[in-house]
Amino acid sequence: MAVLLEVEGLTVDIATARGTLHAVRDVSFSLQSGETLCLVGESGCGKSMTALALMGLLPRAAQRSARRMRFEGNDLAALPERRLAELRGARMAMVFQEPMTALNPAYTIGDQLTEVHRRHKDSTMAVARERAVALLEMVGITNAAARLGQYPHQLSGGLRQRIMIAMSLMCGPSLLIADEPTTALDVTIQAQILRLLVELQRDLGIAIVLITHDLGVVARVAHRVAVMYAGEIVESASAADLFAAPRHPYTRGLMASIPVPGATRPGDRLGVIRGIVPSLIGDVGGCAFRDRCDFAQPVCARTVPVRSDGGHDWRCILGEAVAA
Amino acid sequence: MLIYALKRLGLAVLVAVVVSALAFLLLRASGDVAIALAGEGARSEDIENIRRIYGLDRPLVVQYLDWAAKMARGDFGTSLFFKTDVHALVLDKLPTTALLALFSLIFALAVSLPLGILAALYPNSWIDRLCLALAVIGQALPSFFFALILMIVFAVMLRWLPVSGSDSWAHFVLPTVVLGYYIAPAIMRLVRAGMIEVLASDYVRTARAKGLSSSSVVLKHALRNALVPVVALAAVQLGFLLGGSVVIETVFALDGLGYLAYQSITHKDLPVTQAIVTLLSLIYVGLTLAADLANAWLDPRIRVGSGT
């Protein structure tokens, strides 16, 4: 399979009143065509900022730099905004966390769906409408033609997220970035949307970067996983490897905090990671997890090496022979 | 949409009735009409006579209904000072004021919409600060003073435009600029605040994620949502312009409704004052209705009920 997206040394700094916030620190990963990569981590770990940096949609106060950011042969870091806008929505598309607010309340579903096709494919209204109906049906929306005339406020959250997904696929992108697409939905709808993403990927062969804090979601959809902590990728591996043998203490902490159906009884204490996430304002050096880590050594305050074992990388002083 | 429009219309009619009754009562409460009509040094029999002739001895409710019925038929009575039909008098002056108000609003929007949008796109930039400076000057400068400055520069020194009068289009230019500049700051600041909020919204981020051009993102996706409060303000300001251009009409000797209102009040010309007050109230009610309908068009959440 061909490499679709290659990111090397991505850094996002945000100017705040209290100093520079290092939201994303030296993040590198790559993605094959048709592959699903899950970016996992807790709130504020930089996973959404990574996604926005790829799309060129960072807030004005954020400063992006990267040694390399190649997508389909384009250097995203060097592309002027006008050329980047031609890729956005056409080759790379994004689905957001909040379906309730991500659609414009002033325009119909049909208007918002056809708009993106007409912009990138230079199509007529009739062609764009036909494509919109086909995609609404593909994402499992009944009575699709009639939905085109409706406004977002007339639809439920689950329906709106399906519409967002349909909208992102209007121009047949090769990369879909989904930022917590199921977090705002209730559990049964979450399962439906996840299944939809998996099916779409199988049928259309698109690559997906799925951002989530939910390891249950990761287990269901990911080919590869990158665990983020405090703006860094601390561990990345194939999903199977990661769940079978997590190497980084943070990843293990995350796994220990998931209740296991059947095994965890009501009232049992789940695993917790002591301490709090460090501030990313000002200089951040060494391992950001060391204050919360049971295996921390004085050397952790210095630059931590990236260890590698096959396709499994982790950023820690510990080798594989760690007692869990 | 039709049901919404009918509801709004019904409400507007109700408000119009209440407002006309209030206008009627307020002017009656401002002094004894019969004494005013009789003039100074009138004998008490004369005043009693006038009271009977004009029906002022009847209960207020009857007087109001009688007056309202006449108003509805277009019978506004006779001016006490000009001795002519009030209906004709008011209709004669209305176009001048209406044109001035309309031009001023268009001028204000033409200035404040682009500047407000630019200020929102580049907050705290030099263009934002320039807009703020223009707004502060516009709101702080008394309009009659600004009018005099413009008159001196463009009419007296440069001789590009006439000083005063209402005979040609050129006569409307300076009053339009003065009134427009007076109301533009409020609109500009509302556009700026609304656009800054909307530009930070999720759906604008979605529009950018779709790769739409910046003009489409700003003008189609953002502006329409930011305009809802602006429409309401513009309607109120148009009403203000229709009723509030007394000073400017006087400064530029524009023969409009504001000037007539000023004359009728100083001469205690009750039928004229009453007709103008009622007419302006009705225009206000009409403008509010128009703003409601415009907002329903802009924002489907008002116009279309939810439910699938």
Side-chain angles (χ1 to χ4, degrees), chain A residues 125-176:
Chain A
M125 196 63 193
V127 172
R129 278 185 72 92
E130 209 172 296
R131 172 84 181 152
V133 171
L135 270 165
L136 287 183
E137 280 167 356
M138 195 193 291
V139 300
I141 290 179
T142 53
N143 207 2
R147 298 282 182 200
L148 293 184
Q150 289 188 315
Y151 289 93
H153 74 275
Q154 299 173 286
L155 305 168
S156 69
L159 269 180
R160 289 191 215 185
Q161 197 60 300
R162 283 173 193 270
I163 285 161
M164 280 299 291
I165 293 170
M167 193 160 81
S168 69
L169 300 175
M170 278 295 282
C171 299
S174 59
L175 172 64
L176 177 66

Side-chain angles (χ1 to χ4, degrees), chain A:
Chain A
M1 272 193 287
V3 174
L4 180 74
L5 175 69
E6 221 182 340
V7 177
E8 242 183 73
L10 174 66
T11 297
V12 176
D13 289 337
I14 300 171
T16 71
R18 291 185 295 138
T20 304
L21 174 79
H22 303 281
V24 178
R25 303 186 294 133
D26 196 18
V27 159
S28 303
F29 61 89
S30 68
L31 187 67
Q32 313 275 319
S33 302
E35 191 181 38
T36 298
L37 170 72
C38 278
L39 284 179
V40 196
E42 58 199 284
S43 307
C45 72
K47 53 196 196 299
S48 291
M49 281 295 156
T50 304
L52 292 175
L54 289 175
M55 292 289 286
L57 291 176
L58 285 169
R60 208 189 302 248
Q63 192 74 37
R64 177 188 75 182
S65 71
R67 287 193 298 278
R68 195 176 163 82
M69 215 157 67
R70 292 196 75 77
F71 169 70
E72 288 192 326
N74 299 289
D75 184 0
L76 294 180
L79 228 48
E81 168 60 26
R82 185 175 290 273
R83 288 272 296 114
L84 195 59
E86 286 169 13
L87 292 179
R88 277 205 299 264
R91 302 306 306 152
M92 54 201 290
M94 190 156 175
V95 174
F96 298 95
Q97 180 173 348
E98 280 295 336
M100 303 312 277
T101 52
L103 290 162
N104 194 325
Y107 296 99
T108 60
I109 302 308
D111 198 11
Q112 297 185 57
L113 280 167
T114 51
E115 173 183 53
V116 61
H117 199 260
R118 301 189 64 192
R119 150 85 170 110
H120 294 292
K121 300 286 179 183
D122 213 8
S123 58
T124 62
M125 196 63 193
V127 172
R129 278 185 72 92
E130 209 172 296
R131 172 84 181 152
V133 171
L135 270 165
L136 287 183
E137 280 167 356
M138 195 193 291
V139 300
I141 290 179
T142 53
N143 207 2
R147 298 282 182 200
L148 293 184
Q150 289 188 315
Y151 289 93
H153 74 275
Q154 299 173 286
L155 305 168
S156 69
L159 269 180
R160 289 191 215 185
Q161 197 60 300
R162 283 173 193 270
I163 285 161
M164 280 299 291
I165 293 170
M167 193 160 81
S168 69
L169 300 175
M170 278 295 282
C171 299
S174 59
L175 172 64
L176 177 66
I177 299 173
D179 186 0
E180 305 247 12
T182 60
T183 305
L185 304 172
D186 58 58
V187 179
T188 50
I189 310 292
Q190 281 187 12
Q192 290 174 14
I193 296 287
L194 280 182
R195 197 176 315 128
L196 175 66
L197 285 175
V198 171
E199 285 168 8
L200 286 171
Q201 177 173 53
R202 193 190 55 213
D203 298 344
L204 304 173
I206 48 174
I208 297 178
V209 173
L210 184 76
I211 292 163
T212 181
H213 63 272
D214 185 345
L215 284 171
V217 169
V218 177
R220 261 185 280 181
V221 302
H223 298 133
R224 285 190 65 81
V225 187
V227 179
M228 286 189 77
Y229 182 77
E232 279 181 321
I233 292 182
V234 292
E235 181 162 8
S236 72
S238 72
D241 279 357
L242 189 91
F243 282 101
R247 303 293 172 88
H248 197 282
Y250 176 65
T251 314
R252 293 182 203 188
L254 282 184
M255 299 223 180
S257 61
I258 310 171
V260 182
T264 312
R265 285 192 306 276
D268 276 4
R269 285 184 71 89
L270 296 173
V272 288
I273 304 173
R274 66 186 166 81
I276 52 163
V277 182
S279 163
L280 293 176
I281 291 176
D283 286 336
V284 185
C287 175
F289 190 62
R290 65 181 185 274
D291 292 340
R292 308 173 72 183
C293 181
D294 294 332
F295 308 97
Q297 309 277 328
V299 65
C300 294
R302 282 186 246 136
T303 306
V304 178
V306 177
R307 291 172 181 274
S308 217
D309 177 12
H312 196 146
D313 300 334
W314 66 102
R315 193 185 289 264
C316 186
I317 57 158
L318 301 174
E320 50 204 297
V322 179

Side-chain angles (χ1 to χ4, degrees), chain B residues 15 58 108 119 170 172 177 200 230 232 253 290:
Chain B
V15 172
R58 295 171 299 165
F172 281 87
V177 171
V230 175

Side-chain angles (χ1 to χ4, degrees), chain B residues 219-237:
Chain B
L219 298 178
K220 181 179 172 186
H221 284 272
L223 185 60
R224 178 148 168 183
N225 287 287
L227 274 186
V228 171
V230 175
V231 168
L233 177 70
V236 171
Q237 290 197 318

